[in-house]
Amino acid sequence: MNGEQQRRGVHVLAAVLEVIADRGLEAATLRTVAAAAGISLAQVQYYFRSKDELVAAAYRHLTERFDEKLATIDLSGPPRKVLREALDLWLPLDEERARDARVWLAFSAAAATSTPLRQIAAATDTELRFAFARLLDAAIADGELAEVADTEAEAALLLAVVDGLVIQALALPETERAEFVTFSLDTHLARLFQH
């Protein structure tokens, strides 16, 4: 695929994410995505033969975008600060992150009944739990965190807390979200990191 084709493919994936953020996963048909991208249905079908293929590619695209954001975090700081900065990328603290969260939740819900999406979700969650566990290990080594029996289990709980906070926050009025998720996550981290 040449550079123009890749750019067009990414343009289509961005349109999928916009459709899902605005109207939900069920609205992300090849036709609606073509309209959102401002291209013909045939052009979408050039890249993706079916809705399932399109949706799976969009899910992978979303996880890649998140990985790019994660890569911007300065890992040289204290592990608790690094962990908090990573978690903040998820939280619907502004409109962009709220849109990403709505899309992420749509994919997560669909993963329960779609093998391709479930595989993407499982791989992403495994990577995140591993990264969180390594940050918790570093926090223990730095004396920021008391010794815990199983950092892998703590990382899984942390991921579950963040997922739950995102779901709850999106049900709140936009003006209440930031305060709710910030206070709730700070409370959880204070319990985790207390000596």
Side-chain angles (χ1 to χ4, degrees), residues 15 20 72 74 86 109 136 180 184 186 195:
I20 295 170
T72 65
D74 179 7
L136 294 174
F180 168 77
S184 300
D186 284 344
H195 281 70

Side-chain angles (χ1 to χ4, degrees), residues 4-155:
E4 175 62 19
Q5 288 172 318
Q6 284 181 325
R7 188 187 65 72
R8 278 283 196 191
V10 170
H11 177 67
V12 170
L13 295 175
V16 176
L17 300 181
E18 286 301 313
V19 168
I20 295 170
D22 291 338
R23 294 182 268 165
L25 188 60
E26 60 283 345
T29 65
L30 296 175
R31 189 170 307 284
T32 59
V33 168
I39 59 176
S40 71
L41 177 60
Q43 287 175 297
V44 173
Q45 291 171 321
Y46 173 80
Y47 297 103
F48 308 101
R49 293 180 304 247
S50 68
K51 177 180 176 175
D52 289 344
E53 189 178 304
L54 176 69
V55 167
Y59 195 9
R60 283 190 293 276
H61 179 66
L62 182 64
T63 62
E64 289 165 4
R65 276 185 30 202
F66 181 76
D67 287 344
E68 289 169 6
K69 290 178 184 178
L70 203 53
T72 65
I73 293 175
D74 179 7
L75 301 177
S76 65
R80 181 177 178 170
K81 181 178 180 288
V82 172
L83 179 62
R84 180 52 197 260
E85 287 179 19
L87 296 173
D88 277 352
L89 294 175
W90 244 281
L91 302 177
L93 297 171
D94 54 38
E95 183 51 33
E96 179 186 350
R97 286 180 278 186
R99 289 178 72 78
D100 285 348
R102 287 194 301 272
V103 174
W104 192 269
L105 289 176
F107 283 132
S108 296
T113 57
S114 166
T115 300
L117 297 184
R118 185 170 39 253
Q119 291 169 343
I120 297 167
T124 302
D125 285 351
T126 298
E127 285 178 28
L128 289 171
R129 284 192 305 269
F130 178 81
F132 292 167
R134 297 303 67 83
L135 285 169
L136 294 174
D137 288 336
I140 291 169
D142 284 4
E144 282 189 288
L145 177 64
E147 190 76 31
V148 295
D150 186 348
T151 54
E152 303 286 336
E154 288 295 339

Side-chain angles (χ1 to χ4, degrees), residues 143-171:
E144 282 189 288
L145 177 64
E147 190 76 31
V148 295
D150 186 348
T151 54
E152 303 286 336
E154 288 295 339
L157 288 171
L158 185 57
L159 185 56
V161 166
V162 171
D163 285 345
L165 288 176
V166 169
I167 291 168
Q168 290 179 29
L170 290 177

